[in-house]
Amino acid sequence: MTPGSQAAVLVTGGAGYIGAHTAKALAERGYRPVVYDDLSAGFREAVRWGPLVRGDIRDEAALRAAMSEHGVAAVVHFAGLIEVARSVSDPGPFWDVNVSGTRALLAAMQAAGVPRLVFSSTAAVYGQAGRAAGDLISEDDEKAPSSPYGDTKLAAERMIAAHCRAHGLTAVALRYFNASGADPSGVIGEAHEPETHLIPLALAAGLGDGRPLTLFGDDFDTADGTCLRDYVHVNDLAAAHVAAVGAELAGGTFEAMNLGAGRGHSVREVVAAAARALGRPVPHAIGPRRAGDPPSLVADPSRARSRLGWEPARSDLDTIVRDALRWEAQPAYAAGGRASRRGEAK
Ligand code: UFG
């Protein structure tokens, strides 16, 4: 499938953060994104580049109907539950939505004869597994998820890989490190309910629109004692999905690829970048560690570079934080998320 072909691409979870940015990027490269989303976490306002089919990811018949109605040629699969802490306290729905949902999708693709899948995976499949702070993680490193969220994403990857071997599907699993930033247009951005991610919370605190930030631990074995993460701009992630949809890969291939900038930033460095972007300090205090946080997650992104020709263009920390601030100061949608930042009940 080539860019400019107007081929229809089903984007499950396309009303969510990374899904909406990918739908926009697909449209810009001449594909027709068809969003499939139940709007349980996504936003109607984020579906702007093609039709919305409202449906549950576990509903095989509805998926199949959407694929035939729109003549879908490939699927990009984001729909799923993403909150690590919730997966620890209530794992059942994660296995149901992330694993059974992927199973239903694979069955529908097989029935409809859709040959290509790009799967939204995560650095959470790796866990910490004996790495020193700052060590780069490559795709073949040990997988030791530290949460049920990571377990379900790894299980879904393995199910997809088996499906490729058995049925000739071609699939790419993209393992994101820390998705961040927002499209510079200001029409879509990060809006989670509840918001748990560092950059939006730091900016909300600095804008006076949220609680003071709590840094989850400063006693990790890293240079400044706070966790290292690899922040990658959501538009760079979107570009990788578009490349994976069009990549020349033999039928039956399954490939997993890291998407990160290949550079670690500490929580303190992120807080400093937020203060630079805001031109004022970010009120913060040190709190206890958060359960399940690995000290260091930094990607070796060389496989995505060589296989997809992927080169991050906006993933330096200051650009990410500036783009995030433009959105955070004036989000086009996000009411619930903003209330949750102020600590108000839903
Ligand atoms: N952090 C704080 N205070 C906060 C929020 C976050 O100190 O209020 C810290 C975290 O402890 C962590 C870093 O900021 O060290 C980044 O935290 P985020 O919540 O922004 O992101 P995570 O690294 O926890 O999450 C990312 C992805 C998940 C994925 C996970 C794997 O968003 O999908 O990595 O560990 F599962």
Side-chain angles (χ1 to χ4, degrees), residues 18 81-84 121-125 127 146-147 149-150 153 176-179 190 192 195-202 212-217 220 226-231 265-268 270-271 285 287-290 292-295 297:
I18 309 171
L81 301 181
I82 62 161
E83 272 173 68
V84 175
S121 191
T122 168
V125 301
S146 52
S147 68
Y149 167 71
K153 287 299 220 181
Y176 325 140
F177 282 65
N178 284 60
E190 183 162 14
H192 294 116
E195 188 52 75
T196 60
H197 291 97
L198 176 62
I199 292 176
L201 291 176
L213 184 72
T214 302
L215 272 50
F216 296 142
F220 289 94
T226 63
C227 290
L228 289 181
R229 292 289 183 273
D230 183 338
Y231 296 88
H265 290 290
S266 72
V267 174
R268 284 192 192 281
V270 172
V271 172
R289 292 184 180 194
R290 182 171 68 177
D293 270 346
L297 287 172

